[in-house]
Amino acid sequence: MSTGPAFKRLPRAVREQQMLDAAVKVFSRRGFHAASMDEIAEDAGISKPMVYAYLGTKEELFVACLHREGTRMMQAIAGAAAPDLPADERLWRGLRAFFGFVGAYRDGWAVLYRQARGEQPFATELATMRARLVEVVAGMLDHALRAEGREVAGADLEVVAYALVGATESLADWLADHPEADAEKTATRMMNVAWLGAGQLLSGVTWCPPTD
């Protein structure tokens, strides 16, 4: 009679999500190099060979985690900001969705923006996701400007989008480290910082350095 562990038969998609949940948790806690497939399998309640059979090597598993968490984040943001809303409400809803993701999936955020940042080829995957996020923000700003009958050079829009994304990521790191912090309140703080600048941009107000 076999004395090995018995695993409940589940649909493949459900089992894969269990594995990814466990992997995100372990990767966020240990980092890519220190994380072991044994620990991931144990956390998922399955055998290690099953992890390899479903999701491949540790590197492939990490990339799968990046894709899932990145997709969750982008879908949350894209689904929150309807194009027919005023510019400030679009930005607010996007920020609220973004910080809502970070608050709900702190381990996912850690994998996306901490563990992957300095590791190739994962840093390239992250850079691609970040570029898409910058495109979304730049598109929101461009849409708002055109609604006001104004246009801004593409390079200027890209710079502002990068600045907003960078500041938002930094505050998201703070939120991830403060589990007691409220995600919506954090989004409101970021909105106050961001909209004071973006609102001025939409109004055509710019700052110029003093002349010597």
Side-chain angles (χ1 to χ4, degrees):
M1 180 179 293
S2 172
T3 58
F7 302 110
K8 183 179 178 182
R9 187 176 295 276
L10 292 171
R12 183 184 180 96
V14 174
R15 183 68 79 190
E16 285 184 354
Q17 291 307 307
Q18 284 184 341
M19 294 179 195
L20 290 172
D21 288 342
V24 166
K25 180 180 174 183
V26 174
F27 283 134
S28 71
R29 186 169 62 235
R30 306 282 190 206
F32 173 73
H33 293 292
S36 73
M37 296 294 267
D38 290 295
E39 186 177 4
I40 291 169
E42 184 179 351
D43 254 37
I46 59 172
S47 67
K48 184 165 74 169
M50 189 178 291
V51 178
Y52 283 109
Y54 274 60
L55 293 166
T57 65
K58 186 166 80 165
E59 182 175 297
E60 289 170 329
L61 176 57
F62 193 88
V63 170
C65 291
L66 288 181
H67 286 167
R68 189 188 72 168
E69 300 308 306
T71 298
R72 273 179 172 171
M73 181 180 71
M74 294 302 298
Q75 285 179 343
I77 295 169
D84 57 339
L85 293 171
D88 59 338
E89 190 171 348
R90 288 190 76 202
L91 182 58
W92 155 243
R93 289 194 181 195
L95 287 171
R96 185 172 61 179
F98 173 77
F99 285 107
F101 163 81
V102 176
Y105 302 104
R106 292 170 198 266
D107 287 344
W109 173 258
V111 168
L112 276 174
Y113 278 82
R114 293 181 179 177
Q115 305 302 337
R117 187 173 291 166
E119 298 283 348
Q120 289 293 353
F122 313 130
T124 302
E125 296 276 347
L126 175 59
T128 300
M129 289 183 224
R130 195 167 188 266
R132 287 207 308 269
L133 185 57
V134 169
E135 285 179 8
V136 169
V137 173
M140 288 170 60
L141 293 174
D142 185 52
H143 182 274
L145 285 164
R146 291 179 185 279
E148 297 283 332
R150 298 184 58 249
E151 289 189 29
V152 171
D156 290 336
L157 277 176
E158 186 179 26
V159 167
V160 173
Y162 267 105
L164 288 175
V165 169
T168 302
E169 289 170 348
S170 294
L171 193 52
D173 263 344
W174 176 88
L175 176 63
D177 286 336
H178 293 79
E180 77 285 355
D182 180 74
E184 185 156 337
K185 195 171 196 178
T186 304
T188 304
R189 288 170 173 156
M190 186 64 225
M191 182 65 188
N192 278 308
V193 172
W195 189 247
L196 291 176
Q200 295 276 42
L201 171 68
L202 297 179
S203 300
V205 178
T206 57
W207 178 86
C208 296
T211 55
D212 294 333

